Every structure is written in C-alpha cells, then in structure tokens.
C-alpha cells in the first residue's frame, strides 16, 4: 500500500463512517432489522432528528434499506444491505481495537 497519498475512496469511506453516530447505527443494525424506536433504545443519547438524518444518509449511500410494511399501524424497518453488512469486519476491528486501547 502506498500511504504517501490520500486515496479518494478511502477519504470518502472515512468521511461517511466517521460521522458522529454512524458507526453506532451500523453496529446496532448488525444485529438484524430494527425499527426506529428499537435503534433509539440502543442509542438513547442520539436525538430523533439526528437518527432520521443519519438513516437517510445511510440509505442514500446504499448501506441501509428501508422497508415499509402496509399494516395498521404502518411498520417501518431498517436493515443493512449487502454493502452495509460488508462492514462487519471493520466494525469488529474497531471493537477489538477499542477493547485493547480505550
């Protein structure tokens, strides 16, 4: 690897995953599909607006899929796409690093 120059793909990935709350949201969704309220329970310090904004970003970047179930009341679930699930090794590496050094 050539670390002397910044790779635009690395820069974009680091920018996306480095946003506050994004890594936590991805980690929560590693456990399977979740509803908005379930994610809020697991990350209680995050505001509803921030969760909404991050979910829109993750959906537009292709990491998260939003499914609307036409029930009464309407049920909406979020889950990782294949692209999002491909982050599992990254998330586990960060977890391991955190356990060792934090």
């Amino acid at each position: 690897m050539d670390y002397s120059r910044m790779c635009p793909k690395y820069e974009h990935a680091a920018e996306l995953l480095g946003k506050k709350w994004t890594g936590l949201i991805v980690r929560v969704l590693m456990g399977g599909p979740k509803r908005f309220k379930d994610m809020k329970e697991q990350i209680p310090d995050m505001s509803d607006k921030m969760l909404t904004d991050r979910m829109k970003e993750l959906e537009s970047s292709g990491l998260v899929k939003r499914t609307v179930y036409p029930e009464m009341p309407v049920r909406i679930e979020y889950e990782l796409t294949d692209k999002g699930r491909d982050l599992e090794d990254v998330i586990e590496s960060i977890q391991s690093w955190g356990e060792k050094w934090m």
Side-chain angles (χ1 to χ4, degrees):
M1 283 254 159
D2 176 10
Y3 294 111
S4 65
R5 293 188 336 225
M6 185 56 65
C7 170
K9 290 180 179 180
Y10 175 85
E11 189 175 357
H12 182 69
E15 184 179 302
L16 175 66
L17 296 174
K19 287 187 175 181
K20 187 167 186 172
W21 306 112
T22 300
L24 292 174
I25 293 168
V26 170
R27 189 172 189 279
V28 164
L29 290 174
M30 289 282 172
K34 301 278 186 294
R35 296 172 77 174
F36 189 92
K37 68 179 184 67
D38 299 326
M39 289 187 284
K40 276 293 293 170
E41 285 176 11
Q42 288 188 261
I43 314 172
D45 293 338
M46 182 175 36
S47 71
D48 287 0
K49 181 182 180 343
M50 182 58 70
L51 179 55
T52 299
D53 291 348
R54 287 294 180 264
M55 294 311 295
K56 286 179 184 175
E57 288 174 10
L58 291 170
E59 189 177 1
S60 70
S61 66
L63 296 176
V64 169
K65 176 180 137 187
R66 179 180 185 263
T67 305
V68 179
Y69 295 94
E71 304 168 348
M72 284 307 234
V74 171
R75 179 171 50 106
I76 300 171
E77 286 186 349
Y78 299 89
E79 65 183 307
L80 294 174
T81 61
D82 289 342
K83 182 178 177 180
R85 279 190 299 279
D86 218 24
L87 287 168
E88 188 168 7
D89 290 344
V90 174
I91 299 298
E92 287 177 1
S93 293
I94 293 169
Q95 178 71 43
S96 295
W97 184 87
E99 287 173 6
K100 180 176 182 180
W101 296 103
M102 293 288 145

